[in-house]
Amino acid sequence: MSSEHDALVGELRLLAEAVLDRVDRVVQQYAAAQQAGAAQDPQPTDTGAAGADAPGADAPGAGAPGAGAPAPSGGCDWCPVCAIAALVRGESHELLTRLATQIAAIIALIRELLARYLPAPADPGGPESTPPSEPADRGGGFVSIPVTIRP
């Protein structure tokens, strides 16, 4: 029974590592895309006096601070809906950046816990490994059960 549990623990560890690898890969791709986007995008500039001559400059709200330079993500910095919209558009968003940083830290923590508390999977070709014994007729086939009905 212990060998079955060890096999299950080993499989769960491999599953956890596979999931962590995939999540880590997605987070790394997002971080790389954000770094590449930040290097290529120039900083927004103020239009200055030329913006006053533009059509609609005297419209309501045109003189509001920051009206000529939209935020990098096109929305607020804390809203999850704006963060998802920025992710879909391929733009950077402060919430997504913070989330990616926290996910990377959580992945590192989970990997450390796996290494500390779950044993590493045994090498199948090792000298001390023995082939698993076959269970006693656990095949799932049909088994006839005699039933006697008494009046």
Side-chain angles (χ1 to χ4, degrees):
M1 189 73 126
S2 177
S3 65
E4 291 176 4
H5 288 177
D6 291 341
L8 179 64
V9 168
E11 289 178 16
L12 288 175
R13 178 186 172 100
L14 292 175
L15 176 65
E17 287 178 357
V19 169
L20 290 174
D21 287 342
R22 287 186 182 223
V23 171
D24 191 31
R25 194 174 316 133
V26 169
V27 170
Q28 294 299 328
Q29 287 175 351
Y30 175 77
Q34 293 305 312
Q35 289 176 353
Q40 291 176 357
D41 291 339
Q43 296 295 327
T45 58
D46 188 19
T47 57
D53 296 330
D58 56 345
S73 62
C76 58
D77 289 337
W78 57 269
C79 176
V81 175
C82 293
I84 291 172
L87 181 65
V88 169
R89 290 189 306 246
E91 298 175 350
S92 67
H93 194 275
E94 183 178 346
L95 183 64
L96 293 175
T97 305
R98 288 183 181 190
L99 184 64
T101 304
Q102 294 301 319
I103 288 174
I106 290 172
I107 289 172
L109 177 68
I110 291 173
R111 286 181 193 254
E112 182 180 331
L113 290 174
L114 284 174
R116 184 180 297 174
Y117 294 110
L118 290 181
D123 185 19
E128 53 194 56
S129 66
T130 59
S133 62
E134 291 295 320
D137 196 3
R138 291 181 119 179
F142 178 76
V143 177
S144 176
I145 302 172
V147 177
T148 307
I149 301 175
R150 296 185 184 173

